[in-house]
Amino acid sequence: MADAPAPACRIDGKAFAEGLRGRVAAAAARLRSDHGVQPGLAVVIVGEDPASQIYVRNKGEQTAAAGMRSDTHRLAETTSQAELLDLIGRLNADPGIHGILVQMPLPGHIDSATVLDAIDPAKDVDGFHVLNVGRLAVGLPALTPCTPQGAILLLRHTLGDLSGLEALVVGRSNIVGKPMAQLLLAENCTVTIAHSRSRDLPTICRRADILVAAVGKPEMIRGDWIKPGATVIDVGINRVPSADPVKAAAGGTRVVGDVAFAETAAVAGAITPVPGGVGPMTIACLLANTYLAACRAAGVEPDVLG
């Protein structure tokens, strides 16, 4: 009787992110002491969305902890698009601000595309401006979206050289799926993007040495879809009813990814948990992008952080 496969290695994104934040803080301190430049990040939030408020507070705390200037602009839900664009214009012109992030989602009366397009591409630490998207696509230096950048760092840390591996990205969003595919191509992977119109998704998944799930559907990717020994990066963050019936009846919830973790971990070689996998990397990479933008603005060669 064949031995059961060993359980997958859990990729500890929380520990890696802590190390990355430490490296960013040390690099920012050197930039300040050697060149008199303190990286500065401005975060703009419009409205009172509770989840966004928590996320923005965490960004501010971690930015300050890294020794960077941290400015948070909290605007009322009724703020007009013109008022928001005026603030972005002032931040674009502020030499002490090297990164600008506008927290999504925005209220319905504000056009997100117009707002993102107004941010100076050199300060677009989210990596969403069309110029940064285009530069990433053609292989030029760019500020890269933080979540896929964090996923790439975890993959390099886990696997080393990614050249020649077959990678599948499930999901084609502008925020994760598409830039994730571009970053994997830059690592010399053979890349497939699957989406809602893909036929026979389980068969496509079983070919992948690397599977990145970014589809936004709780536990959609099943264990028998996974190639034995594959590395699975779960980007999903979904709230579902608690596994405890009593807590569920009282409205209790739990957080799960896009991958059915237990059954996938029995097949994969390595997997990110949810929470504690890709999530912590997002803010760490935001800090790294802010540091990189400050170096570019000062004409200084940045330290290698990844």
Side-chain angles (χ1 to χ4, degrees):
M1 183 176 179
D3 292 336
C9 166
R10 290 170 66 101
I11 302 172
D12 191 343
K14 184 177 181 181
F16 191 95
E18 183 178 354
L20 178 57
R21 291 196 306 270
R23 294 191 293 277
V24 170
R30 286 190 292 273
L31 183 64
R32 188 169 59 251
S33 63
D34 295 349
H35 302 280
V37 176
Q38 180 184 30
L41 173 65
V43 178
V44 180
I45 180 169
V46 184
E48 300 295 332
D49 179 74
S52 293
Q53 290 286 346
I54 293 170
Y55 195 40
V56 164
R57 184 175 69 245
N58 289 341
K59 288 174 181 174
E61 290 172 353
Q62 292 191 32
T63 302
M68 298 182 180
R69 173 180 167 184
S70 176
D71 290 4
T72 300
H73 299 264
R74 290 184 168 85
L75 307 181
E77 183 86 18
T78 55
T79 298
S80 70
Q81 180 167 301
E83 290 170 322
L84 177 56
L85 293 175
D86 181 68
L87 172 60
I88 291 172
R90 297 198 304 274
L91 295 173
N92 283 340
D94 186 343
I97 292 297
H98 304 96
I100 302 169
L101 183 152
V102 178
Q103 182 67 33
M104 300 293 166
L106 290 168
H109 65 278
I110 297 177
D111 181 64
S112 298
T114 299
V115 171
L116 293 176
D117 189 56
I119 298 172
D120 181 348
K123 298 187 177 188
D124 168 40
V125 286
D126 256 339
F128 295 162
H129 194 284
V130 66
L131 289 182
N132 280 318
V133 172
R135 291 178 71 85
L136 175 62
V138 299
L140 292 175
L143 290 170
T144 304
C146 301
T147 299
Q149 181 62 33
I152 282 289
L153 292 176
L154 291 178
L155 283 168
R156 287 182 191 155
H157 178 70
T158 303
L159 298 174
D161 184 11
L162 308 183
S163 295
L165 296 179
E166 186 158 353
L168 171 68
V169 181
V170 185
R172 54 178 169 178
S173 72
N174 292 334
I175 295 172
V176 179
K178 291 175 183 176
M180 188 77 233
Q182 295 291 348
L183 289 169
L184 287 164
L185 282 172
E187 297 290 330
N188 298 311
C189 293
T190 300
V191 182
T192 301
I193 302 178
H195 46 76
S196 59
R197 301 294 179 88
S198 297
R199 297 180 180 178
D200 195 4
L201 181 58
T203 296
I204 299 172
C205 290
R206 292 184 192 110
R207 296 200 306 260
D209 303 304
I210 296 169
L211 188 151
V212 181
V215 70
K217 294 186 178 181
E219 300 181 322
M220 173 182 166
I221 308 296
R222 312 308 303 187
D224 61 358
W225 297 14
I226 304 300
K227 178 180 181 179
T231 299
V232 178
I233 303 293
D234 191 350
V235 180
I237 301 177
N238 309 285
R239 285 207 167 270
V240 299
S242 171
D244 183 323
V246 176
K247 292 181 179 178
T253 62
R254 59 192 172 98
V255 175
V256 300
D258 291 348
V259 174
F261 182 84
E263 58 189 67
T264 299
V267 181
I271 185 170
T272 56
V274 177
V278 177
M281 293 295 296
T282 299
I283 295 181
C285 288
L286 173 67
L287 300 180
N289 274 355
T290 303
Y291 164 75
L292 178 61
C295 288
R296 288 176 176 169
V300 174
E301 187 69 23
D303 290 356
V304 176
L305 300 173

